[in-house]
Amino acid sequence: MFAQVISFDESADEVEAGIKHVEKEVLPALQDADGLTGFWLVDRDAGKRLSVMVWDSEEAAAAGMAAIEARRAELGDADAPRPTPSSVDRMEVYGSV
C-alpha cells in the first residue's frame, strides 16, 4: 500500500475553487474506485487543503487517475484550470489501524 498526499496553500477564493473542483470532478470519478481510501481536508482559515489517498496497489491508483481523466473529458472542460499543489508526496504505508 502507498499514500499520495497532495497539499495546497491557497487564498480564500482558491480554497473554494479547489473544493468545487474536487466535488465536481474528483469525488464522482473515484466514488466506486477499488482499493482506495481517501480523505479531502480543508482548514479554511489557514488556506490549506490536503488530499490524502491510500491505494492498495499501483494498478488501483492508475485506474483511479484514469477515471479522473475520463470524468474531465465527460464534463467537457479538460482544459479548465486546475488548482496547483504546493507539494505532492508519495509514501509507503507501513502501518494502519
Side-chain angles (χ1 to χ4, degrees):
M1 285 194 317
F2 67 92
Q4 184 171 346
V5 181
I6 306 170
S7 302
F8 299 86
D9 293 305
E10 304 169 315
S11 69
D13 289 342
E14 290 170 328
V15 165
E16 293 307 317
I19 289 170
K20 286 182 179 157
H21 158 71
V22 168
E23 291 174 340
K24 180 179 177 183
E25 290 184 22
V26 178
L27 296 179
L30 297 177
Q31 186 66 38
D32 297 320
D34 289 328
L36 169 65
T37 300
F39 299 93
W40 287 263
L41 313 168
V42 65
D43 180 338
R44 293 173 197 273
D45 293 334
K48 293 187 178 278
R49 288 188 306 115
L50 288 175
S51 297
V52 180
M53 294 175 279
V54 178
W55 296 97
D56 287 345
S57 68
E58 295 280 340
E59 294 79 16
M65 295 302 109
I68 293 171
E69 291 299 323
R71 173 75 178 168
R72 287 180 185 160
E74 175 186 313
L75 293 173
D77 62 353
D79 294 328
R82 301 293 183 288
T84 302
S86 52
S87 68
V88 177
D89 296 301
R90 187 179 162 115
M91 301 174 185
E92 176 185 351
V93 176
Y94 68 90
S96 65
V97 293

